[in-house]
Amino acid sequence: YTAKGAGWTVDSGMPEDFVFLTDAVPGAREEPRYATDDNFMGRPLDGYQGRHVVVSRAVGQALAAVQEKLEAQGLGLLVYDGYRPARAVEDIFAWLESDEPGRKAQYYPDLEKNQLAGIYLAEGSPHRRGVAVDLTLCDLETGEPLDMGTGFDFFSPLSWPDSRAVTGAQRENRSLLQKVMRAGGFSQ
């Protein structure tokens, strides 16, 4: 999701007006997948220092309001990615050109690596400006993600919000996520 109207630009390193997600959004959970090997590349991406999600202060404030509304329903946010350093984006596109294996079976089973750019991976990603987050909804107490029909970064039309190939309950979970994020000022 991308914050509307936020015009942040970033250089290398963590920008001054950025914050750690857990400092800005009490109660939110984080699982920074690109700092681990649990992502489509199968290894940590260059530029991810430590195991915390970073967001712009404005995005953090917007997410805090969303989190607060979700808590009344026994739900919360589980955030996988926020600000993405330029080195990480460069690493992704170098990986696309390399022979380095990824986790095809788990993340892009119906595509070849060279088909990911443009549709699923963009060099001009709003993550580079710190105005986008990859997230899902989770149970507030357990942190267990709600069933959305696919996992994080599943590169397939099955993961698209309007996919009819998922169950009714999964579509309801996707709809709830869209509703609360749009109400919080985010767009997809």
Side-chain angles (χ1 to χ4, degrees), residues 5-71:
W8 301 99
T9 58
V10 297
D11 297 317
S12 61
M14 185 166 150
E16 188 175 310
D17 200 32
F18 280 39
V19 294
F20 290 112
L21 173 82
T22 53
D23 291 341
V25 188
R29 295 176 185 255
E30 64 181 354
E31 193 177 307
R33 294 283 186 92
Y34 295 136
T36 73
D37 62 359
D38 191 5
N39 60 65
F40 66 92
M41 288 174 54
R43 63 168 173 79
L45 277 68
D46 190 26
Y48 280 86
Q49 315 288 321
R51 306 236 174 184
H52 296 285
V53 174
V54 174
V55 295
S56 70
R57 192 171 307 281
V59 168
Q61 290 169 346
L63 289 174
V66 171
Q67 174 73 19
E68 187 176 331
K69 289 179 182 177
L70 285 169
E71 287 176 356

Side-chain angles (χ1 to χ4, degrees), residues 100-173:
E100 186 181 344
R103 290 197 165 171
K104 179 177 173 48
Q106 184 178 355
Y107 290 97
Y108 54 101
D110 301 325
L111 298 170
E112 295 306 317
K113 204 164 79 161
N114 64 0
Q115 296 175 294
L116 300 177
I119 298 173
Y120 296 102
L121 300 171
E123 287 188 75
S125 168
H127 284 280
R128 289 180 73 165
R129 299 186 315 274
V131 297
V133 289
D134 293 341
L135 51 68
T136 194
L137 299 176
C138 67
D139 180 276
L140 188 60
E141 276 191 40
T142 66
E144 188 68 30
L146 270 59
D147 183 2
M148 298 288 178
T150 62
F152 166 74
D153 264 2
F154 188 72
F155 300 140
S156 163
L158 184 62
S159 68
W160 297 354
D162 60 354
S163 173
R164 303 305 286 170
V166 297
T167 69
Q170 293 163 339
R171 275 195 307 279
E172 286 179 29
N173 289 340

